[in-house]
């Protein structure tokens, strides 16, 4: 017997002696049959002095009939007991947090001052290169994407399908949301996305290399709105704030992070960006609930099929026997 064999309904085996109890405790079924009336019946009774009485004939089954019925009963109970093979427990990941990436794709992200494998690349291409690995490692989180420039738009709503999020990231490019940087709109759009979801833990990662354009929603006003909705914002400043091609507003990013309970990071190259993601993993470790999921293979169909097969076989043999008896009777009368 395999080690992973189990019986789902062990109580079914206690029904095994039930037919014997029924046989002992219940009286046989009485069935009336036709009788022949003899005109001299009453005279015979008068002459013999006997009184008429009711009689019963109990039909008894042969040895093989008992074996046949017992085998069917055992097979039916075996099916009812639900035998099964239980596989090794598997861990099922349950989502416990929403993690939103709000990335700046304004024209300044096209600045060609970052290096990957010794080659100069755009800031946005370098950020995407590192973010791909970060997204794939966030198993257990439902992730979403918001891209912003002059305006902000949702590239991917919250989903546990990290491959789709990664693909959406790859398809985005600089300039798709306009040429300016509007940090306030990005935070407001992300906060709206959080409001539509029921998971309590909410984390936003904001990446930008510029200063807010000051149009519509101001960054600190949007951050205050996010704070009231319990959204934690980690901010990452892209580029060297002291470089000639940088207008990074570190002060605003620091205030946004401090206001919402997050933290500000400066990323001047891909190595530092990788280090930042490692620090984020420590600050916001991947959290998920483990639920045991045991694969079960039900085996009740085998004893049930055998019982049905024996029933059909018994009916077939019974019909053949009746046909043979009828044929023999006909030949006897001929």
């Amino acid at each position: 017997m395999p080690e992973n064999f189990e019986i789902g309904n062990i109580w079914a085996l206690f029904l095994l002696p039930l037919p014997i109890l029924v046989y002992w405790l219940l009286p046989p079924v009485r069935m009336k049959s036709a009788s022949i009336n003899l005109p001299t019946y009453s005279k015979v009774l008068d002459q013999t002095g006997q009184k008429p009485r009711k009689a019963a004939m109990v039909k008894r089954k042969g040895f093989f009939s008992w074996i046949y019925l017992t085998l069917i009963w055992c097979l039916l109970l075996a099916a009812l007991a639900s035998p099964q093979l239980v596989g090794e427990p598997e861990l099922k990941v349950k989502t416990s947090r929403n993690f939103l990436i709000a990335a700046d794709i304004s024209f300044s992200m096209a600045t060609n001052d970052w290096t990957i494998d010794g080659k100069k690349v755009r800031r946005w291409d370098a950020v995407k290169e590192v973010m791909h690995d970060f997204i794939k490692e966030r198993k257990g989180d439902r992730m979403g994407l918001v891209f912003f420039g002059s305006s902000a738009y949702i590239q991917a709503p919250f989903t546990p399908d990290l491959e789709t999020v990664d693909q959406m990231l790859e398809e985005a490019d600089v300039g798709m949301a306009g040429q300016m940087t509007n940090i306030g709109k990005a935070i407001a759009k992300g906060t709206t996305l959080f409001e539509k979801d029921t998971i309590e833990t909410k984390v936003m990662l904001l990446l930008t290399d510029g200063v807010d354009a000051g149009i519509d929603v101001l960054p600190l006003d949007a951050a205050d709105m996010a704070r009231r909705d319990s959204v934690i914002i980690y901010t990452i400043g892209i580029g060297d704030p002291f470089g000639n091609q940088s207008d990074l507003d570190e002060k605003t990013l620091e205030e946004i992070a401090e206001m919402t309970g997050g933290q500000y990071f400066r990323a001047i190259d891909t190595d530092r960006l990788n280090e930042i993601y490692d620090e984020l993993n420590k600050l916001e470790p991947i959290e998920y609930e483990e639920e045991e999921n045991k694969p079960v293979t039900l085996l009740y169909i085998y004893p049930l099929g055998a019982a049905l097969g024996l029933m059909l076989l018994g009916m077939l043999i019974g019909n053949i026997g009746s046909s043979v008896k009828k044929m023999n009777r006909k030949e006897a009368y001929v």
Side-chain angles (χ1 to χ4, degrees):
M1 189 69 66
E3 294 182 359
N4 59 341
F5 178 81
E6 293 183 5
I7 296 178
N9 303 322
I10 192 68
W11 55 266
L13 301 181
F14 293 99
L15 299 177
L16 191 61
L18 182 61
I20 299 175
L21 296 176
V22 171
Y23 182 80
W24 281 350
L25 299 177
L26 295 182
V29 178
R30 297 181 180 274
M31 300 178 64
K32 293 182 178 180
S33 60
S35 61
I36 301 175
N37 292 325
L38 298 175
T40 59
Y41 182 68
S42 58
K43 293 181 179 181
V44 172
L45 293 178
D46 293 337
Q47 293 294 328
T48 59
Q50 295 182 359
K51 294 181 180 181
R53 60 182 178 179
K54 296 180 179 180
M57 181 182 68
V58 179
K59 293 184 178 181
R60 301 187 180 277
K61 297 184 178 296
F63 176 76
F64 289 105
S65 296
W66 282 112
I67 295 295
Y68 168 75
L69 293 174
T70 301
L71 184 57
I72 291 178
W73 176 247
C74 291
L75 289 171
L76 290 175
L77 287 183
L80 184 61
S82 185
Q84 53 196 15
L85 295 177
V86 181
E88 292 295 326
E90 298 174 353
L91 294 182
K92 183 179 179 181
V93 176
K94 294 180 66 178
T95 301
S96 64
R97 171 172 49 200
N98 281 335
F99 202 110
L100 178 67
I101 296 176
D104 182 0
I105 55 172
S106 61
F107 279 5
S108 59
M109 290 294 286
T111 305
N112 198 38
D113 62 349
W114 280 41
T115 303
I116 296 180
D117 297 331
K119 297 180 181 179
K120 286 288 185 180
V121 297
R122 301 182 304 170
R123 293 176 180 175
W124 176 238
D125 294 329
V127 168
K128 282 202 300 185
E129 182 75 18
V130 179
M131 283 177 63
H132 283 315
D133 294 333
F134 178 74
I135 290 173
K136 292 176 182 177
E137 292 175 0
R138 298 305 302 183
K139 293 180 180 179
D141 287 340
R142 295 172 74 250
M143 298 196 73
L145 287 177
V146 168
F147 293 124
F148 67 95
S150 301
S151 59
Y153 67 94
I154 299 171
Q155 178 77 349
F158 289 118
T159 174
D161 185 0
L162 301 188
E163 291 184 5
T164 298
V165 175
D166 193 56
Q167 181 63 32
M168 292 291 186
L169 172 68
E170 181 61 33
E171 292 174 356
D173 205 354
V174 172
M176 291 176 60
Q179 62 180 1
M180 295 187 295
T181 301
N182 199 320
I183 299 173
K185 279 187 177 181
I187 297 175
K189 178 67 72 173
T191 303
T192 302
L193 192 59
F194 279 118
E195 288 175 351
K196 296 179 180 179
D197 203 89
T198 57
I199 296 180
E200 295 182 0
T201 307
K202 309 166 186 178
V203 180
M204 184 187 302
L205 177 62
L206 177 70
L207 301 97
T208 182
D209 69 340
V211 61
D212 185 74
I215 302 173
D216 297 331
V217 184
L218 296 178
L220 296 183
D221 291 340
D224 184 61
M225 182 174 61
R227 177 187 61 80
R228 284 180 286 176
D229 198 36
S230 303
V231 179
I232 300 172
I233 302 178
Y234 292 94
T235 55
I236 298 180
I238 304 297
D240 184 358
F242 306 106
N244 296 329
Q245 295 179 301
S246 175
D247 57 356
L248 181 63
D249 185 2
E250 285 194 301
K251 182 179 179 181
T252 299
L253 296 179
E254 289 173 353
E255 290 179 353
I256 291 172
E258 183 179 356
M259 184 181 297
T260 59
Q263 191 171 330
Y264 169 70
F265 304 93
R266 180 195 299 169
I268 58 176
D269 52 34
T270 54
D271 291 337
R272 177 53 186 155
L273 191 57
N274 273 313
E275 292 174 3
I276 291 172
Y277 286 148
D278 290 339
E279 291 179 42
L280 276 173
N281 284 331
K282 295 177 182 177
L283 292 170
E284 293 292 336
I286 299 172
E287 299 174 356
Y288 57 88
E289 297 179 12
E290 295 181 353
E291 182 178 281
E292 285 194 355
N293 178 33
K294 294 183 178 181
V296 176
T297 303
L298 298 177
L299 305 177
Y300 73 91
I301 55 175
Y302 299 106
L304 181 60
L308 293 176
L310 281 177
M311 290 180 186
L312 293 175
L313 180 62
M315 293 172 61
L316 179 62
I317 293 175
N319 290 334
I320 293 174
S322 298
S323 300
V324 171
K325 288 181 180 180
K326 289 180 180 179
M327 291 177 62
N328 291 336
R329 289 173 184 172
K330 289 181 179 179
E331 290 178 358
Y333 287 120
V334 174

